[in-house]
Amino acid sequence: MSSLSDRLTRGAASSPSQVDHARRLVADWQLLADLAFADLTLWVPLPTGAWWCVAQVRPLTAPTSRPEDLVGSEVEGAVAEPFVIAHREGRPVTEGEPDWSGVAPRRREVIPVRHDGVPVAVLAKDTNLAVTRSPSTLELTYLDIAADLCLMVSAGTFPRRSCRTPR
């Protein structure tokens, strides 16, 4: 399998700084997945109009909503519409109805990954809806922090440039 850098350059990340920014995000995103209690996938647009999954992480704090490995898969058409909107408009997009097609119902939010004002990729945050209980105060705090971090990803301020990327 190709490296994350190779997969990113096949998509929209054309400059070394864009690739480095996306690599820093992937290096730090386990924390985001755990705080959001959600699976995260990173998608890049391809010249064909399809979207390609280049990275994936599952939460350690909640049941996965995406047990299948999505890295290397492509989507297009209606399934990719939230990706297109988030990328084009530079804002998070939350799908209306839960997706019941998998092993558990899930809700998806798509967040643009911006670097220097340019959308480089989108981050899909899939939350497993099968667990139906009231969250604790601590869990609500985690979700608030995750929402803030997602807004920072959308603004291009997370992860910070001063963070070191493991090679």
Side-chain angles (χ1 to χ4, degrees), residues 94-164:
T94 302
E95 295 180 344
E97 294 297 316
D99 179 357
W100 295 85
S101 65
V103 296
R106 63 182 171 259
R107 181 169 315 279
R108 173 174 279 173
E109 180 179 11
V110 181
I111 298 121
V113 176
R114 193 172 314 197
H115 176 66
D116 289 338
V118 177
V120 176
V122 295
L123 178 72
K125 182 176 73 158
D126 291 310
T127 304
N128 186 327
L129 299 177
V131 180
T132 55
R133 63 177 184 78
S134 295
S136 70
T137 304
L138 180 61
E139 290 168 326
L140 290 172
T141 301
Y142 286 174
L143 291 169
D144 285 344
I145 294 168
D148 288 345
L149 287 173
C150 286
L151 287 175
M152 291 171 70
V153 168
S154 177
T157 58
F158 180 81
R160 292 176 34 150
R161 288 179 199 238
S162 63
C163 295
R164 299 186 75 175

Side-chain angles (χ1 to χ4, degrees), residues 57-76:
V57 67
R58 294 177 179 91
L60 301 173
T61 54
T64 185
S65 66
R66 305 301 308 222
E68 69 276 20
D69 185 8
L70 294 175
V71 174
S73 64
E74 292 183 22
V75 295
E76 56 189 335

Side-chain angles (χ1 to χ4, degrees), residues 29-89:
W29 73 347
Q30 182 66 59
L31 173 67
L32 179 56
D34 290 343
L35 290 170
F37 306 104
D39 292 62
L40 305 177
T41 47
L42 187 65
W43 299 81
V44 295
L46 297 175
T48 63
W51 289 80
W52 192 38
C53 182
V54 297
Q56 179 175 6
V57 67
R58 294 177 179 91
L60 301 173
T61 54
T64 185
S65 66
R66 305 301 308 222
E68 69 276 20
D69 185 8
L70 294 175
V71 174
S73 64
E74 292 183 22
V75 295
E76 56 189 335
V79 175
E81 189 61 26
F83 297 173
V84 172
I85 293 169
H87 192 261
R88 180 182 60 228
E89 297 180 10

